[in-house]
Amino acid sequence: SFILTHYHGDHYSGLPRDGAYAGPARIHCTPVTAALLRSVHGVPPEFIVEHSYDESWVHEYEGADDDNGTTGTTCTRQATVTFCDANHCPGAAIVLVQLPDGKVHLHTGDMRFHPRMKDYPLIKKFAADRSIDLLYLDTTYPHPKHDFLAQEEAVDSIASQVEEIFQKTSKSTLVLLSCYSIGKEKVLWECAKRTNKTIFVNDRK
Protein backbone atom coordinates (compact mmCIF):
# COMPACT_ATOMS: atom_id res chain seq x y z
CA SER A 1 0.00 0.00 0.00
CA PHE A 2 0.92 3.63 -0.50
CA ILE A 3 -0.14 6.83 1.24
CA LEU A 4 -0.49 9.89 -0.99
CA THR A 5 -0.59 12.99 1.22
CA HIS A 6 -1.88 15.27 -1.55
CA TYR A 7 -2.22 15.65 -5.30
CA HIS A 8 0.84 17.63 -6.33
CA GLY A 9 3.20 16.48 -9.06
CA ASP A 10 6.28 16.14 -6.87
CA HIS A 11 4.38 13.59 -4.79
CA TYR A 12 2.64 11.47 -7.43
CA SER A 13 5.61 11.45 -9.83
CA GLY A 14 5.92 8.03 -11.44
CA LEU A 15 2.29 7.07 -10.88
CA PRO A 16 0.94 5.87 -14.28
CA ARG A 17 -1.95 7.84 -15.77
CA ASP A 18 -5.11 7.14 -17.75
CA GLY A 19 -5.91 3.69 -16.44
CA ALA A 20 -2.35 2.39 -16.79
CA TYR A 21 -1.88 1.85 -13.07
CA ALA A 22 -2.56 -1.85 -12.47
CA GLY A 23 -1.72 -2.16 -8.79
CA PRO A 24 -1.63 -4.37 -6.89
CA ALA A 25 -0.80 -1.79 -4.18
CA ARG A 26 -3.70 0.41 -3.12
CA ILE A 27 -3.37 4.15 -2.59
CA HIS A 28 -4.66 5.54 0.71
CA CYS A 29 -5.61 9.21 0.68
CA THR A 30 -8.31 11.75 1.61
CA PRO A 31 -11.61 11.92 -0.32
CA VAL A 32 -10.55 15.07 -2.22
CA THR A 33 -7.26 13.49 -3.31
CA ALA A 34 -9.14 10.32 -4.24
CA ALA A 35 -11.49 12.30 -6.49
CA LEU A 36 -8.49 13.91 -8.22
CA LEU A 37 -6.80 10.54 -8.72
CA ARG A 38 -9.93 9.20 -10.39
CA SER A 39 -11.02 12.20 -12.47
CA VAL A 40 -7.70 13.84 -13.36
CA HIS A 41 -5.07 11.11 -13.12
CA GLY A 42 -7.25 8.24 -14.30
CA VAL A 43 -6.37 5.78 -11.54
CA PRO A 44 -8.89 2.89 -11.46
CA PRO A 45 -11.20 3.28 -8.43
CA GLU A 46 -10.45 -0.21 -7.12
CA PHE A 47 -6.91 0.89 -6.25
CA ILE A 48 -7.98 3.95 -4.23
CA VAL A 49 -8.97 3.89 -0.54
CA GLU A 50 -10.47 7.07 0.95
CA HIS A 51 -10.09 8.18 4.57
CA SER A 52 -11.67 11.33 5.96
CA TYR A 53 -9.82 13.73 8.24
CA ASP A 54 -9.67 12.71 11.92
CA GLU A 55 -10.98 9.20 11.26
CA SER A 56 -8.48 6.56 12.39
CA TRP A 57 -8.07 3.44 10.29
CA VAL A 58 -6.04 0.25 10.62
CA HIS A 59 -3.31 -0.77 8.19
CA GLU A 60 -2.15 -4.39 8.29
CA TYR A 61 1.39 -5.29 7.25
CA GLU A 62 3.88 -8.10 7.61
CA GLY A 63 6.45 -7.41 10.31
CA ALA A 64 8.66 -9.08 12.89
CA ASP A 65 6.65 -11.01 15.44
CA ASP A 66 8.50 -9.25 18.26
CA ASP A 67 9.33 -5.59 18.74
CA ASN A 68 13.09 -6.15 18.47
CA GLY A 69 12.97 -8.31 15.34
CA THR A 70 15.27 -10.90 16.91
CA THR A 71 13.23 -14.06 16.25
CA GLY A 72 13.58 -13.96 12.48
CA THR A 73 9.89 -14.75 11.98
CA THR A 74 7.09 -12.50 10.81
CA CYS A 75 3.41 -12.07 11.48
CA THR A 76 0.60 -9.74 10.49
CA ARG A 77 0.82 -6.53 12.47
CA GLN A 78 -1.49 -3.53 12.67
CA ALA A 79 -0.77 0.20 12.67
CA THR A 80 -3.41 2.84 13.31
CA VAL A 81 -3.30 5.74 10.86
CA THR A 82 -5.06 9.10 11.07
CA PHE A 83 -5.17 11.91 8.50
CA CYS A 84 -5.40 15.55 9.64
CA ASP A 85 -5.90 18.67 7.54
CA ALA A 86 -2.48 19.97 6.42
CA ASN A 87 -3.79 23.42 5.36
CA HIS A 88 -1.88 23.08 2.08
CA CYS A 89 -3.81 22.35 -1.12
CA PRO A 90 -7.32 20.80 -1.13
CA GLY A 91 -7.19 17.31 0.36
CA ALA A 92 -3.66 17.58 1.76
CA ALA A 93 -3.02 15.50 4.86
CA ILE A 94 -0.76 15.30 7.87
CA VAL A 95 -0.26 11.62 8.73
CA LEU A 96 -0.19 10.29 12.30
CA VAL A 97 0.82 6.63 12.71
CA GLN A 98 0.48 4.61 15.91
CA LEU A 99 2.61 1.48 15.69
CA PRO A 100 1.83 -1.80 17.47
CA ASP A 101 4.83 -1.37 19.78
CA GLY A 102 3.30 1.86 21.09
CA LYS A 103 5.56 4.22 19.17
CA VAL A 104 4.03 7.21 17.39
CA HIS A 105 5.28 8.67 14.10
CA LEU A 106 4.09 12.03 12.75
CA HIS A 107 4.60 12.94 9.08
CA THR A 108 3.69 16.55 8.31
CA GLY A 109 3.66 16.15 4.54
CA ASP A 110 3.51 19.53 2.83
CA MET A 111 1.74 21.66 5.40
CA ARG A 112 1.13 25.30 6.29
CA PHE A 113 0.94 25.82 10.03
CA HIS A 114 -2.27 27.22 11.48
CA PRO A 115 -2.96 27.71 15.21
CA ARG A 116 -5.97 25.36 14.98
CA MET A 117 -3.52 22.50 14.44
CA LYS A 118 -2.66 22.73 18.13
CA ASP A 119 -6.20 21.48 18.79
CA TYR A 120 -6.13 18.42 16.53
CA PRO A 121 -7.18 15.83 19.17
CA LEU A 122 -4.61 13.08 18.63
CA ILE A 123 -1.69 15.38 17.83
CA LYS A 124 -2.55 17.50 20.87
CA LYS A 125 -2.68 14.38 23.06
CA PHE A 126 0.62 12.89 21.92
CA ALA A 127 2.39 16.25 21.91
CA ALA A 128 1.23 16.93 25.48
CA ASP A 129 2.49 13.49 26.53
CA ARG A 130 5.75 14.05 24.62
CA SER A 131 5.13 10.64 23.09
CA ILE A 132 5.81 11.40 19.41
CA ASP A 133 8.85 9.21 18.76
CA LEU A 134 9.64 10.22 15.19
CA LEU A 135 8.80 13.41 13.28
CA TYR A 136 9.03 13.62 9.50
CA LEU A 137 9.01 17.38 8.99
CA ASP A 138 8.34 19.44 5.87
CA THR A 139 11.54 21.51 5.60
CA THR A 140 10.93 23.25 2.27
CA TYR A 141 11.19 26.66 3.96
CA PRO A 142 13.11 26.08 7.21
CA HIS A 143 15.27 29.19 7.10
CA PRO A 144 14.08 32.08 9.34
CA LYS A 145 14.15 34.40 6.32
CA HIS A 146 11.02 32.65 5.05
CA ASP A 147 8.58 34.56 7.23
CA PHE A 148 5.28 34.15 5.42
CA LEU A 149 1.97 35.81 6.11
CA ALA A 150 -0.82 33.71 7.52
CA GLN A 151 -2.85 32.20 4.69
CA GLU A 152 -5.87 34.38 5.47
CA GLU A 153 -3.70 37.53 5.35
CA ALA A 154 -2.07 36.49 2.06
CA VAL A 155 -5.45 35.82 0.43
CA ASP A 156 -6.81 39.13 1.73
CA SER A 157 -3.76 41.02 0.43
CA ILE A 158 -4.06 39.61 -3.11
CA ALA A 159 -7.83 40.07 -3.28
CA SER A 160 -7.55 43.64 -1.99
CA GLN A 161 -5.03 44.53 -4.68
CA VAL A 162 -7.19 42.99 -7.42
CA GLU A 163 -10.24 44.84 -6.09
CA GLU A 164 -8.30 48.11 -6.11
CA ILE A 165 -7.20 47.55 -9.71
CA PHE A 166 -10.79 47.23 -10.91
CA GLN A 167 -11.87 50.28 -8.93
CA LYS A 168 -9.23 52.43 -10.62
CA THR A 169 -9.22 51.09 -14.19
CA SER A 170 -11.57 50.43 -17.07
CA LYS A 171 -13.72 47.35 -17.62
CA SER A 172 -11.31 46.09 -20.27
CA THR A 173 -8.59 45.40 -17.70
CA LEU A 174 -7.27 41.83 -17.57
CA VAL A 175 -5.81 40.52 -14.29
CA LEU A 176 -3.70 37.37 -14.40
CA LEU A 177 -3.37 35.29 -11.25
CA SER A 178 -0.73 32.59 -10.97
CA CYS A 179 -2.06 29.24 -9.75
CA TYR A 180 -1.12 25.59 -9.62
CA SER A 181 -3.41 22.97 -11.17
CA ILE A 182 -4.43 22.15 -7.61
CA GLY A 183 -4.05 24.95 -5.10
CA LYS A 184 -4.71 28.68 -4.55
CA GLU A 185 -8.45 28.20 -5.10
CA LYS A 186 -9.08 30.43 -2.07
CA VAL A 187 -7.36 33.30 -3.89
CA LEU A 188 -9.53 32.90 -6.98
CA TRP A 189 -12.70 32.59 -4.93
CA GLU A 190 -12.01 35.68 -2.82
CA CYS A 191 -11.09 37.78 -5.88
CA ALA A 192 -14.30 36.73 -7.62
CA LYS A 193 -16.41 37.57 -4.56
CA ARG A 194 -14.93 41.02 -4.04
CA THR A 195 -14.95 42.14 -7.65
CA ASN A 196 -18.06 40.28 -8.86
CA LYS A 197 -16.01 39.22 -11.87
CA THR A 198 -15.90 35.88 -13.65
CA ILE A 199 -12.70 33.91 -13.20
CA PHE A 200 -11.50 32.01 -16.25
CA VAL A 201 -9.24 28.96 -15.87
CA ASN A 202 -8.00 26.26 -18.24
CA ASP A 203 -9.66 22.87 -18.51
CA ARG A 204 -7.12 21.19 -16.22
CA LYS A 205 -7.72 23.70 -13.41
Side-chain angles (χ1 to χ4, degrees):
S1 294
F2 298 103
I3 288 178
L4 181 60
T5 57
H6 63 290
Y7 191 73
H8 272 167
D10 55 332
H11 289 255
Y12 62 68
S13 176
L15 180 64
R17 289 180 173 272
D18 303 323
Y21 181 68
R26 296 195 297 173
I27 303 168
H28 295 263
C29 56
T30 64
V32 171
T33 300
L36 293 167
L37 285 174
R38 289 190 298 266
S39 62
V40 179
H41 212 87
V43 175
E46 60 266 29
F47 297 120
I48 302 171
V49 185
E50 300 181 18
H51 306 281
S52 297
Y53 290 138
D54 303 318
E55 292 184 3
S56 298
W57 49 281
V58 174
H59 171 65
E60 293 189 345
Y61 64 99
E62 290 298 313
D65 64 1
D66 68 325
D67 292 338
N68 296 319
T70 57
T71 65
T73 58
T74 62
C75 65
T76 300
R77 312 202 78 181
Q78 295 183 332
T80 302
V81 184
T82 308
F83 290 155
C84 301
D85 185 0
N87 195 37
H88 182 48
C89 67
I94 294 170
V95 184
L96 182 74
V97 182
Q98 298 166 255
L99 297 172
D101 61 1
K103 291 183 178 179
V104 177
H105 293 182
L106 180 63
H107 174 45
T108 68
D110 287 6
M111 54 86 77
R112 186 186 184 102
F113 176 75
H114 189 282
R116 70 173 179 271
M117 292 176 175
K118 295 179 180 180
D119 293 322
Y120 289 171
L122 284 177
I123 295 179
K124 182 177 182 179
K125 173 184 180 300
F126 290 121
D129 296 342
R130 295 185 177 273
S131 55
I132 296 176
D133 299 280
L134 189 60
L135 175 65
Y136 296 90
L137 183 65
D138 171 17
T139 57
T140 306
Y141 299 102
H143 196 281
K145 70 178 182 180
H146 299 298
D147 185 15
F148 299 120
L149 293 173
Q151 187 179 83
E152 294 83 358
E153 293 179 55
V155 171
D156 175 70
S157 175
I158 296 170
S160 295
Q161 292 178 60
V162 171
E163 186 178 21
E164 184 178 354
I165 288 172
F166 281 111
Q167 289 174 346
K168 293 182 177 180
T169 58
S170 68
K171 294 181 180 180
S172 61
T173 299
L174 175 66
V175 175
L176 301 178
L177 297 168
S178 175
C179 289
Y180 305 112
S181 294
I182 304 298
K184 300 191 179 180
E185 290 78 13
K186 292 178 181 179
V187 171
L188 301 182
W189 181 257
E190 190 63 25
C191 289
K193 281 200 308 179
R194 295 196 190 186
T195 63
N196 197 30
K197 302 292 183 181
T198 301
I199 302 289
F200 292 91
V201 297
N202 61 23
D203 290 340
R204 184 171 174 79
K205 181 64 174 177

